[in-house]
Amino acid sequence: MSTTTLTADSTETALVYDTTLFFWRAIVNIFFREIRPRGAYNIPKEGPVIFVAAPHHNQFLDPVLVASEAFREAHRRPAFLIAAKSMKRAAVGTFARLMSSIPVARAADEAKPGTGRIGLSADDPCLVVGYGTRFTAELAPKKQIMLSKAVGNTLAEVIEVISDTEARVKKEFGGESGKTTAKIREVLQQQKESNNLDGLDFKVLPYVDQGEMYGHVYRRLKEGGSICIFPEGGSHDRTDLLPLKAGVAIMALGAMAADPSLRVRIVPVGLSYFHAHKFRSRAVVEFGSPLDVPLELVEKFKEGGSGKREASGKLLDIVYDGLKTVTVRAPDYDTLMVIQAARRLYKAPGLHLTLGQVVELNKRFIEGYIHFKDEPRIQELKAEVIRYNRLLRDLGLKDHQVPVATRATWKTLGLLTYRVGLLAVWAAFALPGVIVNGPIFILAKVVSQKKQKEALAASTVKVAARDVLATWKVLISLGIAPFLYGFYALAATILAAKCGAPLKWKIWTPFLVMIAMPIIGFSALKFGEAGMDVLKSLRPLVVALLPGQQRQLDNLKSMRQRLANEISDVVNEFGPKLYEDFDEFRLLPPTSSVPPSSGTPGLWRRKSGVGGVDAQGHLLVHPMTWLDERLFGWSRSAKRGTSVWGGTKSTDASRLPSPNASDDEEDHGDYDEVVGYLGVYENSPGRKRAKSLQNSYADLQQLKKSGSQQHLNPIGSPLLQVNTLPGDSNGQLLHRRERKGSLTDDVKVRRLAELDRQEPFKEATLDINRENSFRRKQSKNSENHIQDLKKDE
């Protein structure tokens, strides 16, 4: 099958690609509530690039997210490798061709049931014995035999067809370890005893020549383009990566072997979803450091045979290690739930992590758990976290609601009454859109669940086949919406005609309806989203008002504080054992509850906790937060947030949505926290502490040990320039912190401590970056000199 190759000169193809991507970006931004990139600066702006993405948790939406962020951040247009079977689908195939995708024929997609049943010779595991089979007609060298699901759909390549009932395979089913062979013989024996059946069902897979596909890949890379591949082979919903296929290694090595001047770079891409199959969920797309293909592996690849296999295997290991740095991998679902709960407990109360920081903390917690999971202290802590999760579920609370769940009856009752009324208002606004789009929602859910069952039945790796749900929800919605809106337009036109409307209104009616329907749908989306947040907030208010619940809340709060302290102690004990540079490069908690955004405060936008204007306080972005803070701001100033619970003086918003932090803040957000952590600046006389540093990691342990949510002693930093207005006796910051330049990688904390506190931020940053650049050059020159000496020897 031919495909369009996108080059720098093919303006028409680029325009088609960009238009298609623009359409899909609009779709995914409706489906997902938030999509955040991380490490986008790692994407090479030019030259041949292979994006290697995993885990493949969202079928056809995964490629859209990768393409969207790669184009937005680096203006790269990756061509995706897609199953030839998927290219034959009407909608998927059309859009895939418009985005220059490269079809990959898979033998498993062309599998056909074999005649009869097969078993293994008692003397030779590589000799296949048939019962009522027709091997001479159905098998041939290079074809493959796939056994039934009962033995894991294992494969073996045919090298010789001896007769209709005997054939020889290249090696044992499942590899040469012999474990799969033993399992096959055990299943055969069980079937013989229970059902008196000889052999197992099997399928025949044809030999597939991938020469054309590799030709397209090599040509695109040679022209300086980019491709994207999901090396796991297919989508799944497991918590860990599937074994990687060797295709990505063969592509990179083969392209460089064919053209010695080519330098292919491999960029690992991690996809992290928060409830991937659910509408209005969140996603993080993380780009890792680009990997260079070692030239010695290219030379070994050219040797062919065992050298080619060895080179491909080593490069695949490099790719796998790269993917481990950008993916969240847990051994099972229960472990992932425990890790996420521990991460939430480790975060200081009142602080809100960006999606990027959540993903990074999850990765580090999982790595630490896997390394120390057999430690008795870790096992006890895991049991306690599971018990805490169970208590949360029984009370219907979320973890972030526990610290503020102190009973204050009249305030709680007032807030509950207000929110019930607010829920009724949002429901009234959302109802028209829900009714109008109801058929789409119902049909999308029914069809997606049907496809889920089909995918689960046909797969050996899927757990619940949730990876197909989001794709089919989107596809069904896109297919049904035009017809449904057209029906509404026709019905409205007929109604206008029967009501005797003027001619011009009869003409304009269908157009107005077709324009109004998407607007009504989007309005229902926003109001419904706000209403769901209000609905979720009612349960803890009701729980707080029930008689006898106060003791349970107090016990839960005490348990949470105890677990938070224990997790902090465990991190401090085991962290240095896992990371040698733990104290220098630990991931610090964020320094403010919600990062600021630019803008002017006023009726529609509120001041944030860091002196900036917070977009999350925008009335149109989240009405509940806006009204909560102005109508139920029980603290001295509504600008300081909502405190509806007795005995609490929190600066938190009543709801903390994910921040609209910029990409740079997310990628380099640890810099300010590191500066605030330096002990050399503690208790500096005559210095005001920025409010954004009032909860830095230096104070985290004290905060957790004491259980207090009040502001801590100030720590100043010469690298943060924050001014206060004259006459502000409380030191309340009224100006947003200005964005500063970023440091390069590998800056030691002790180097920051050596800075002159009076040196301006810009000059200090430039000085350190120059030092890093000079140090790298010296290191590179030293390495080259050593290599030259070795060559001379």
Side-chain angles (χ1 to χ4, degrees):
M1 184 179 292
S2 62
T3 185
T4 306
T5 301
L6 186 62
T7 67
D9 298 327
S10 59
T11 307
E12 181 180 351
T13 307
L15 180 61
V16 172
Y17 188 104
D18 296 351
T19 304
T20 306
L21 184 58
F22 176 81
F23 169 77
W24 277 105
R25 283 185 65 180
I27 298 301
V28 297
N29 277 287
I30 292 175
F31 186 86
F32 292 104
R33 188 168 188 166
E34 185 176 5
I35 303 172
R36 300 290 296 160
R38 294 192 75 222
Y41 55 84
N42 286 315
I43 305 176
K45 299 296 188 294
E46 56 186 16
V49 174
I50 299 178
F51 293 97
V52 181
H56 199 359
H57 279 174
N58 230 344
Q59 206 177 28
F60 299 126
L61 294 187
D62 284 341
V64 177
L65 263 63
V66 176
S68 175
E69 298 307 321
F71 182 80
R72 186 166 71 93
E73 300 293 339
H75 214 66
R76 300 305 300 250
R77 300 181 180 90
F80 290 87
L81 275 79
I82 181 174
K85 180 181 179 181
S86 298
M87 292 286 281
K88 296 176 183 178
R89 299 176 185 265
V92 175
T94 299
F95 286 112
R97 281 185 285 272
L98 291 175
M99 296 184 70
S100 306
S101 297
I102 301 172
V104 180
R106 298 186 301 191
D109 293 335
E110 306 296 331
K112 295 181 179 180
T115 303
R117 302 168 70 85
I118 61 173
L120 299 180
S121 168
D123 302 322
D124 186 356
C126 291
L127 183 63
V128 179
V129 179
Y131 303 93
T133 53
R134 300 172 55 228
F135 286 168
T136 54
E138 296 177 350
L139 297 182
K142 291 190 176 182
K143 285 188 175 183
Q144 293 178 298
I145 298 174
M146 182 170 70
L147 298 182
S148 65
K149 195 173 182 178
V151 289
N153 294 112
T154 52
L155 295 168
E157 181 184 336
V158 177
I159 59 173
E160 181 185 6
V161 179
I162 302 173
S163 66
D164 270 342
T165 57
E166 285 189 341
R168 186 169 296 279
V169 294
K170 192 173 184 179
K171 56 184 179 181
E172 294 183 38
F173 286 92
E176 298 176 354
S177 65
K179 293 182 180 179
T180 304
T181 299
K183 183 177 180 180
I184 293 172
R185 295 190 188 280
E186 180 182 348
V187 173
L188 287 170
Q189 182 65 28
Q190 290 175 353
Q191 288 198 355
K192 182 68 175 176
E193 294 174 356
S194 59
N195 300 322
N196 197 27
L197 288 175
D198 290 319
L200 299 168
D201 293 327
F202 70 103
K203 291 183 178 181
V204 180
L205 278 62
Y207 169 71
V208 177
D209 184 5
Q210 301 287 8
E212 183 181 4
M213 180 270 293
Y214 282 116
H216 288 308
V217 170
Y218 296 159
R219 186 160 54 250
R220 188 176 184 87
L221 294 175
K222 186 176 181 179
E223 293 169 349
S226 60
I227 64 170
C228 180
I229 182 173
F230 292 85
E232 295 171 289
S235 63
H236 64 94
D237 55 348
R238 292 182 175 271
T239 56
D240 204 354
L241 298 179
L242 297 180
L244 305 187
K245 308 295 184 183
V248 59
I250 296 174
M251 291 171 192
L253 293 170
M256 292 180 64
D259 186 353
S261 64
L262 203 61
R263 292 294 178 267
V264 177
R265 309 191 77 187
I266 301 173
V267 177
V269 184
L271 295 165
S272 300
Y273 293 99
F274 298 80
H275 307 292
H277 62 289
K278 291 186 177 181
F279 184 57
R280 301 302 285 171
S281 56
R282 292 178 169 91
V284 175
V285 183
E286 182 170 0
F287 298 91
S289 300
L291 309 172
D292 293 313
V293 180
L295 296 180
E296 58 268 22
L297 293 185
V298 178
E299 295 302 321
K300 202 164 192 64
F301 183 85
K302 292 179 181 178
E303 297 175 3
S306 60
K308 180 178 180 180
R309 288 192 295 272
E310 182 182 350
S312 299
K314 287 184 176 179
L315 183 57
L316 201 61
D317 290 339
I318 295 174
V319 171
Y320 183 73
D321 290 338
L323 282 173
K324 287 195 294 186
T325 65
V326 294
T327 54
V328 177
R329 303 163 7 264
D332 53 66
Y333 179 79
D334 292 336
T335 300
L336 182 61
M337 293 300 99
V338 171
I339 292 299
Q340 290 182 347
R343 183 259 303 158
R344 288 191 296 268
L345 290 166
Y346 179 67
K347 182 172 69 71
L351 299 181
H352 188 68
L353 295 172
T354 65
L355 283 183
Q357 290 169 323
V358 168
V359 170
E360 183 62 28
L361 269 180
N362 280 342
K363 287 191 292 188
R364 297 190 185 189
F365 267 102
I366 286 175
E367 185 175 0
Y369 171 79
I370 292 175
H371 194 80
F372 299 109
K373 63 182 179 181
D374 296 326
E375 293 284 339
R377 188 176 181 185
I378 300 297
Q379 291 295 322
E380 293 175 6
L381 182 58
K382 177 182 178 181
E384 282 296 302
V385 171
I386 292 174
R387 180 168 168 263
Y388 173 74
N389 274 344
R390 190 179 299 115
L391 288 175
L392 283 179
R393 186 173 63 251
D394 292 343
L395 285 174
L397 293 174
K398 300 295 184 183
D399 175 72
H400 71 272
Q401 296 170 331
V402 174
V404 294
T406 303
R407 194 176 183 190
T409 306
W410 70 273
K411 295 179 182 179
T412 305
L413 181 61
L415 183 57
L416 177 61
T417 304
Y418 149 67
R419 285 190 177 173
V420 169
L422 186 61
L423 177 61
V425 173
W426 292 159
F429 284 140
L431 189 59
V434 172
I435 295 175
V436 167
N437 294 284
I440 298 178
F441 301 149
I442 296 172
L443 191 60
K445 184 173 184 178
V446 171
V447 174
S448 63
Q449 289 180 345
K450 180 182 178 182
K451 293 295 182 181
Q452 177 188 19
K453 292 178 181 178
E454 293 176 358
L456 184 60
S459 174
T460 60
V461 298
K462 299 182 191 294
V463 178
R466 291 181 175 177
D467 52 298
V468 306
L469 287 174
T471 292
W472 282 104
K473 286 177 182 178
V474 170
L475 292 178
I476 295 301
S477 299
L478 286 177
I480 297 299
F483 294 100
L484 183 64
Y485 293 167
F487 170 76
Y488 289 147
L490 178 62
T493 303
I494 294 174
L495 182 62
K498 287 186 176 182
C499 292
L503 180 60
K504 66 176 183 178
W505 287 112
K506 294 178 183 178
I507 296 174
W508 278 103
T509 295
F511 298 101
L512 292 175
V513 171
M514 292 299 290
I515 294 173
M517 286 297 102
I519 296 175
I520 293 174
F522 186 75
S523 300
L525 171 67
K526 299 304 291 184
F527 285 119
E529 197 169 85
M532 287 302 298
D533 286 332
V534 176
L535 181 62
K536 292 175 184 177
S537 73
L538 298 182
R539 180 67 181 267
L541 297 178
V542 174
V543 169
L545 289 173
L546 293 177
Q549 293 297 319
Q550 184 59 44
R551 179 177 297 179
Q552 291 191 49
L553 291 176
D554 290 341
N555 292 338
L556 190 63
K557 287 180 65 178
S558 176
M559 184 179 186
R560 188 190 191 283
Q561 182 176 326
R562 186 177 70 254
L563 281 175
N565 293 338
E566 177 67 12
I567 289 172
S568 293
D569 290 341
V570 166
V571 169
N572 291 335
E573 177 184 348
F574 292 99
K577 297 178 182 179
L578 185 63
Y579 304 103
E580 293 181 359
D581 53 359
F582 173 78
D583 291 322
E584 291 181 306
F585 295 102
R586 70 189 304 164
L587 182 67
L588 305 177
T591 55
S592 59
S593 53
V594 183
S597 58
S598 59
T600 304
L603 175 66
W604 304 99
R605 300 168 74 88
R606 63 172 169 82
K607 282 273 191 175
S608 73
V610 293
V613 179
D614 186 4
Q616 298 296 343
H618 197 299
L619 174 61
L620 298 181
V621 173
H622 206 286
M624 187 181 81
T625 300
W626 187 88
L627 288 170
D628 272 3
E629 294 204 356
R630 282 156 179 78
L631 299 183
F632 288 88
W634 301 107
S635 56
R636 283 176 292 180
S637 170
K639 294 178 182 178
R640 293 178 57 125
T642 303
S643 180
V644 300
W645 304 91
T648 302
K649 294 182 180 179
S650 173
T651 59
D652 301 345
S654 57
R655 171 191 171 276
L656 291 174
S658 294
N660 289 330
S662 69
D663 303 336
D664 291 338
E665 284 175 335
E666 189 171 286
D667 289 331
H668 307 291
D670 288 350
Y671 177 47
D672 287 346
E673 286 102 28
V674 170
V675 174
Y677 174 55
L678 298 180
V680 68
Y681 299 123
E682 291 188 16
N683 302 322
S684 300
R687 299 192 62 83
K688 292 287 186 181
R689 182 190 184 192
K691 191 171 183 179
S692 63
L693 291 177
Q694 287 177 350
N695 287 319
S696 67
Y697 189 84
D699 303 320
L700 179 58
Q701 300 306 316
Q702 179 184 349
L703 176 67
K704 289 184 174 180
K705 297 293 185 184
S706 66
S708 171
Q709 296 185 36
Q710 298 178 358
H711 297 311
L712 304 168
N713 294 332
I715 298 178
S717 171
L719 301 185
L720 296 178
Q721 299 175 350
V722 185
N723 301 321
T724 57
L725 289 180
D728 184 11
S729 59
N730 295 326
Q732 178 72 20
L733 299 182
L734 301 179
H735 288 296
R736 183 171 59 91
R737 187 177 71 199
E738 296 297 327
R739 292 292 304 279
K740 304 299 182 183
S742 299
L743 292 174
T744 55
D745 295 336
D746 197 22
V747 180
K748 305 295 184 183
V749 174
R750 58 177 174 270
R751 176 64 187 91
L752 297 179
E754 295 170 357
L755 291 174
D756 182 359
R757 280 179 267 175
Q758 304 304 319
E759 185 176 7
F761 179 91
K762 184 176 181 180
E763 284 75 3
T765 302
L766 290 174
D767 288 344
I768 294 178
N769 286 344
R770 289 194 195 100
E771 291 175 12
N772 284 347
S773 178
F774 179 73
R775 178 167 50 82
R776 289 193 184 98
K777 289 180 181 178
Q778 278 190 324
S779 176
K780 187 174 182 179
N781 291 337
S782 299
E783 291 177 0
N784 294 337
H785 181 64
I786 293 173
Q787 291 178 359
D788 292 339
L789 291 176
K790 289 181 178 180
K791 290 180 180 178
D792 294 340
E793 293 176 356

